[in-house]
Amino acid sequence: MRLSRSKTFEQVAMPHLDAVYRLARRLADSEAEAEDLVQEAYLRAFKAFDRFELRTYGAKPWLFRILHNAYYSRRQRANREPTLLDDVDFDCFTGELEPVSLESWPDAVPDWDAFDDELKNSVSQLPAEYRTVLLLWAFEDLSYKEIATVCNCKIGTVMSRLYRARQILSQRLAAYVSERNLASGSIDG
Amino acid sequence: MNCQDVRRFLYAFDDGALEVKENLEILGHLNMCPSCAGRVDADQRLKERLAGSFGIERAPDRLRESVLTQLHPTTVRRPARWIIRAAPVLAAAAVIAVVAGLWWSQAPDGSAVPASDSIVAFDPDRPVAARELAAAFRMGHLQCSAVGRAHHAKGLSRHLPTLERELSASVGLDVLAPNWRNKSLRFVSACTCGMPGGVDGAHLIYERMHVKTVSLYTLQPTDLFDAFERDVVDGAEYRVGHSEGLNLVSWQGAGADYLLCAIGEPGRVDVLIRDLVAPIRVALAETGVDPTVGLVLAQADFDARLARLVGNVSSPAILVRQNALTWIGDAPR
């Protein structure tokens, strides 16, 4: 019985190990911590597998959610990172942004291909909540709804975090280009 | 909507998260505003870059072993070293086998093999029923869509005019990579896929609202679609098929055959043709203009870009915009 159950879990969960590890690697401070996190997440998932509903979550979002919870449990225990205060729903989010300041959008759009290291560096400096939604959006191509499921938050919060994360990255990269007087593509000219 | 209004929702638009009404309003603005349209392009490049920068890391083998050991506390699982070393090769071989099997498997006696859940095969030397062929392309569309972003071949540009040139050079055909953003279709991926009969070709996938709805194939000239029904729309002939929720529309170009494979009800084929296919086909077939030139210009959705293009065009060319053709330079005789 146990063997059969574990085999089924393996079939469901192990194909997503690389993706879960990638997310853990970007969240954790070190490779060792990332591996610990993945192990903890898989153990939690295995114990909760009886309650897992594939049709409700899909295996990958379910594993991401467990990893996300494990990560934040650790952070809260260590009291290392406060929760962001701007967890707003979408109505608040859009109201807050009205009117949008066009100055907040950089004039020139950096050629991302040329700034791989700076891009990675900028991502690593994002607050963890922003980093998580950005990674789920960019690497895993999850929908807002799936990201909201993983992060246990509202869809509006996902949109808010993604908006801010992308704005921060754009501004940092534009500033980087400007400071170094590097070539970039202006889309307005 | 002005720029300020649009930028509040630009990312949500780019992520396909808006309702149809808002989507159309923003599309209307993007068609007139190169600045905001450029932001959408830049955002897509950012996403691609992020995926490319971080998306290829694999979990270390020791972690895989640790997790498995955790699940089987009484049994230490240690895969043979050759399996660990060969894993990437075996995985690649499995993918190749599936892709190859998709199109080229056939029964030992040479007859067509009935469609199964995962493999569709037929004999390239025998006539194929339209239904079978439609099912084969349906399977190809679904399989490639299921691969997700990894379907995009490494090294290929995601800039459509550049992609068109790269793929055309690669397969020796006039590959189409149209910009269908004004139809709310976003380009997802492209690669050279195995095609029926062993012909080479290109396979592009587009999506609407995160549903991968359209495949566009460029193929070596073939008689594969002869068994399809003939359909004449606005005076032009197309070969059409329908299989389990997908419409297929094929037409002949000067040196290539094209096939569009899209989710939809059978009765929607004519709409599909008028919406997506006719503008390209008319541009290619009736003008004598070099297709690449025509299609590169077809990307010029915006008035500002158009103004610049008009100043630089040295040979006759056309602009395809909202199903209407506009001549730039002198029309060919």
Side-chain angles (χ1 to χ4, degrees), chain B residues 148-166:
Chain B
R149 306 167 72 82
H151 175 254
H152 194 73
K154 191 175 179 185
L156 278 183
S157 171
R158 299 189 66 85
H159 179 242
L160 289 172
T162 307
L163 173 69
E164 202 166 71
R165 285 195 297 275
E166 290 174 349

Side-chain angles (χ1 to χ4, degrees), chain B:
Chain B
M1 278 191 165
N2 58 29
C3 293
Q4 284 190 333
D5 297 330
V6 165
R7 293 201 188 175
R8 284 172 62 206
F9 298 103
L10 204 59
Y11 292 141
F13 165 81
D14 199 25
D15 295 337
L18 295 179
E19 296 296 329
V20 174
K21 181 173 174 292
E22 283 81 20
N23 222 32
L24 290 175
E25 285 178 4
I26 289 181
L27 274 173
H29 178 85
L30 295 181
N31 277 338
M32 297 182 299
C33 177
S35 177
C36 288
R39 306 295 169 180
V40 175
D41 290 341
D43 189 50
Q44 289 180 354
R45 291 206 302 276
L46 169 63
K47 186 174 185 181
E48 292 301 324
R49 195 62 224 164
L50 283 168
S53 295
F54 297 108
I56 52 174
E57 276 179 296
R58 294 189 71 242
D61 289 332
R62 64 174 179 277
L63 176 61
R64 203 172 299 274
E65 280 189 68
S66 300
V67 169
L68 286 170
T69 304
Q70 223 175 212
L71 304 181
H72 304 278
T74 57
T75 311
V76 177
R77 295 170 55 117
R78 184 177 292 276
R81 284 188 183 279
W82 73 268
I83 291 180
I84 295 174
R85 288 201 193 99
V89 178
L90 293 173
V95 170
I96 290 166
V98 169
V99 172
L102 182 65
W103 298 121
W104 296 316
S105 294
Q106 63 183 68
D109 64 359
S111 62
V113 179
S116 71
D117 284 346
S118 59
I119 292 178
V120 178
F122 57 90
D123 180 351
D125 296 328
R126 294 182 181 198
V128 181
R131 183 183 54 77
E132 282 182 273
L133 196 59
F137 274 100
R138 173 182 178 275
M139 187 62 72
H141 168 80
L142 295 179
Q143 291 257 0
C144 289
S145 296
V147 172
R149 306 167 72 82
H151 175 254
H152 194 73
K154 191 175 179 185
L156 278 183
S157 171
R158 299 189 66 85
H159 179 242
L160 289 172
T162 307
L163 173 69
E164 202 166 71
R165 285 195 297 275
E166 290 174 349
L167 280 173
S168 295
S170 168
V171 298
L173 301 169
D174 289 333
V175 173
L176 298 184
N179 182 348
W180 280 326
R181 183 167 284 284
N182 65 350
K183 302 294 179 189
S184 297
L185 279 173
R186 180 216 307 253
F187 169 71
V188 177
S189 64
C191 76
T192 54
C193 287
M195 297 293 168
V199 298
D200 287 331
H203 180 191
L204 280 74
I205 297 178
Y206 295 76
E207 71 178 8
R208 175 177 282 145
M209 303 290 279
H210 286 289
V211 178
K212 292 176 180 60
T213 57
V214 173
S215 275
L216 177 61
Y217 296 89
T218 301
L219 304 166
Q220 287 176 16
T222 171
D223 56 5
L224 284 171
F225 308 110
D226 286 354
F228 279 31
E229 286 179 34
R230 297 293 197 271
D231 190 9
V232 177
V233 178
D234 298 336
E237 185 181 272
Y238 300 89
R239 296 165 297 190
V240 301
H242 184 84
S243 171
E244 299 174 54
L246 284 189
N247 285 310
L248 293 101
V249 179
S250 173
W251 70 100
Q252 293 173 319
D257 276 8
Y258 302 100
L259 178 84
L260 189 120
C261 177
I263 291 174
E265 296 302 315
R268 302 286 292 171
V269 166
D270 287 3
V271 175
L272 194 67
I273 289 172
R274 287 199 176 97
D275 245 21
L276 301 181
V277 177
I280 301 172
R281 183 177 179 180
V282 169
L284 292 177
E286 295 184 1
T287 62
V289 169
D290 172 63
T292 304
V293 173
L295 286 162
V296 168
L297 294 177
Q299 314 306 323
D301 292 326
F302 311 116
D303 290 337
R305 291 187 191 176
L306 174 59
R308 284 201 294 274
L309 283 170
V310 171
N312 294 324
V313 165
S314 56
S315 58
I318 52 167
L319 169 73
V320 181
R321 188 180 183 213
Q322 294 179 351
N323 293 356
L325 298 182
T326 306
W327 283 106
I328 300 175
D330 298 324
R333 287 188 291 271

Side-chain angles (χ1 to χ4, degrees), chain A residues 2-3 6 9-10 14 17-18 21-22 25-26 31 35 38-40 42-43 46 90 94-95 97-100 102 105-107 109-110 112-113 116 119-120 123 134-135 137-139 141 144 159 162-163 166-167 169-170 187-189, chain B residues 3-5 7-18 34-39 41-47 49-60 62-64 66-68 70-73 77 149 207 210 212 308:
Chain A
R2 174 64 181 266
L3 185 62
S6 62
F9 176 79
E10 269 186 50
M14 290 308 287
L17 185 69
D18 288 338
Y21 172 74
R22 278 195 293 271
R25 189 69 191 88
R26 300 277 79 79
E31 189 172 344
E35 292 185 21
V38 173
Q39 289 204 49
E40 183 180 342
Y42 268 74
L43 192 58
F46 183 58
F90 189 59
T94 53
L97 288 173
E98 195 173 4
V100 165
L102 293 182
W105 294 71
D107 288 336
V109 178
W112 306 114
D113 293 351
D116 203 30
L119 180 60
K120 284 181 178 174
V123 170
L134 190 79
L135 300 177
W137 165 75
F139 299 172
D141 219 8
Y144 289 176
M159 296 173 79
L162 261 182
Y163 186 100
R166 285 142 102 172
Q167 282 279 287
L169 283 187
S170 294
I187 57 176
D188 295 332
Chain B
C3 293
Q4 284 190 333
D5 297 330
R7 293 201 188 175
R8 284 172 62 206
F9 298 103
L10 204 59
Y11 292 141
F13 165 81
D14 199 25
D15 295 337
L18 295 179
S35 177
C36 288
R39 306 295 169 180
D41 290 341
D43 189 50
Q44 289 180 354
R45 291 206 302 276
L46 169 63
K47 186 174 185 181
R49 195 62 224 164
L50 283 168
S53 295
F54 297 108
I56 52 174
E57 276 179 296
R58 294 189 71 242
R62 64 174 179 277
L63 176 61
R64 203 172 299 274
S66 300
V67 169
L68 286 170
Q70 223 175 212
L71 304 181
H72 304 278
R77 295 170 55 117
R149 306 167 72 82
E207 71 178 8
H210 286 289
K212 292 176 180 60
R308 284 201 294 274

Side-chain angles (χ1 to χ4, degrees), chain A residues 7-186:
Chain A
K7 268 191 171 177
T8 308
F9 176 79
E10 269 186 50
Q11 289 163 357
V12 168
M14 290 308 287
H16 303 298
L17 185 69
D18 288 338
V20 173
Y21 172 74
R22 278 195 293 271
L23 180 59
R25 189 69 191 88
R26 300 277 79 79
L27 287 173
D29 291 335
S30 67
E31 189 172 344
E33 186 185 354
E35 292 185 21
D36 278 355
L37 260 178
V38 173
Q39 289 204 49
E40 183 180 342
Y42 268 74
L43 192 58
R44 285 190 190 194
F46 183 58
K47 287 176 179 172
F49 190 55
D50 286 340
R51 302 190 298 278
F52 170 62
E53 279 289 338
L54 184 63
R55 275 177 293 184
T56 305
Y57 291 107
K60 195 154 69 170
W62 176 64
L63 290 164
F64 284 153
R65 180 177 180 146
I66 292 172
L67 178 81
H68 177 264
N69 290 343
Y71 171 75
Y72 280 97
S73 297
R74 286 182 174 213
R75 291 276 148 168
Q76 280 173 355
R77 280 199 301 272
N79 200 21
R80 279 185 286 182
E81 194 157 343
T83 302
L84 291 182
L85 294 176
D86 64 344
D87 282 359
V88 291
D89 64 24
F90 189 59
D91 290 338
C92 296
F93 159 65
T94 53
E96 184 186 337
L97 288 173
E98 195 173 4
V100 165
S101 163
L102 293 182
E103 285 74 36
S104 69
W105 294 71
D107 288 336
V109 178
D111 175 5
W112 306 114
D113 293 351
F115 307 115
D116 203 30
D117 290 342
E118 187 58 25
L119 180 60
K120 284 181 178 174
N121 189 35
S122 296
V123 170
S124 69
Q125 290 175 17
L126 289 172
E129 283 88 346
Y130 291 177
R131 203 159 65 233
T132 305
V133 295
L134 190 79
L135 300 177
L136 293 172
W137 165 75
F139 299 172
E140 306 301 337
D141 219 8
L142 297 192
S143 68
Y144 289 176
K145 187 178 178 186
E146 288 170 324
I147 297 173
T149 301
V150 170
C151 298
N152 198 22
C153 64
K154 294 177 182 175
I155 288 178
T157 305
V158 172
M159 296 173 79
S160 160
R161 290 177 183 175
L162 261 182
Y163 186 100
R164 291 180 195 287
R166 285 142 102 172
Q167 282 279 287
I168 291 169
L169 283 187
S170 294
Q171 288 163 359
R172 282 188 184 159
L173 269 288
Y176 179 83
V177 170
S178 173
E179 283 166 13
R180 287 156 183 79
N181 202 23
L182 297 171
S184 62
S186 169

